[in-house]
Amino acid sequence: QVRLVESGGGLVQTGDSLRLSCQASVLTFASYVMAWFRQAPGKEREFVAGIGRSHTATKYADFVEGRFTISKDVRKNTMYLQMTSLKPEDTAVYSCAAQAPGQSTFTSWGQGTQVTVSS
């Protein structure tokens, strides 16, 4: 398994921006499919955005509506989620996940970072 550590969460106001980071402890980071998920209190965990082995292979949940951008820096073994125009409904614990080559599910998860958007 891959050790994943998120950072960058915090308390912001509606309309603000945040950049989340996910540091991965794996030598073959470039070969992993990575994603961000979130879970709000009392709700199921939901997919936010994913990035494939290619930097251009990205996918977003419908609720993102062009506000978030996922990216990765393979030299730093780090994935990012740039979030803009934040809304109170974006409040959740954001976790990153990794899918190893040859696997069809995300098997490594970080502890998560809290994002709170006040109205």
Side-chain angles (χ1 to χ4, degrees):
Q1 283 203 344
V2 178
R3 182 169 180 262
L4 302 172
V5 179
E6 302 95 337
S7 62
L11 172 63
V12 297
Q13 296 184 333
T14 297
D16 283 352
S17 299
L18 273 178
R19 188 177 79 158
L20 305 183
S21 299
C22 173
Q23 176 80 41
S25 62
V26 62
L27 295 178
T28 55
F29 177 71
S31 65
Y32 279 69
V33 174
M34 302 292 295
W36 288 97
F37 289 78
R38 72 183 188 183
Q39 187 167 20
K43 294 188 177 181
E44 296 285 320
R45 182 171 60 194
E46 61 182 352
F47 171 82
V48 177
I51 186 165
R53 297 172 183 81
S54 166
H55 289 260
T56 59
T58 59
K59 183 178 180 180
Y60 296 92
D62 290 342
F63 62 76
V64 169
E65 298 175 323
R67 300 179 297 127
F68 299 173
T69 302
I70 189 170
S71 62
K72 64 181 180 179
D73 186 338
V74 297
R75 297 167 302 174
K76 298 181 179 180
N77 279 13
T78 302
M79 174 179 66
Y80 304 98
L81 185 68
Q82 178 68 49
M83 304 186 293
T84 63
S85 303
L86 284 163
K87 308 174 183 179
E89 50 264 45
D90 293 319
T91 295
V93 174
Y94 286 71
S95 301
C96 61
Q99 179 179 313
Q103 299 294 318
S104 60
T105 59
F106 292 97
T107 55
S108 297
W109 294 83
Q111 292 296 310
T113 185
Q114 176 70 47
V115 172
T116 303
V117 185
S118 64
S119 57

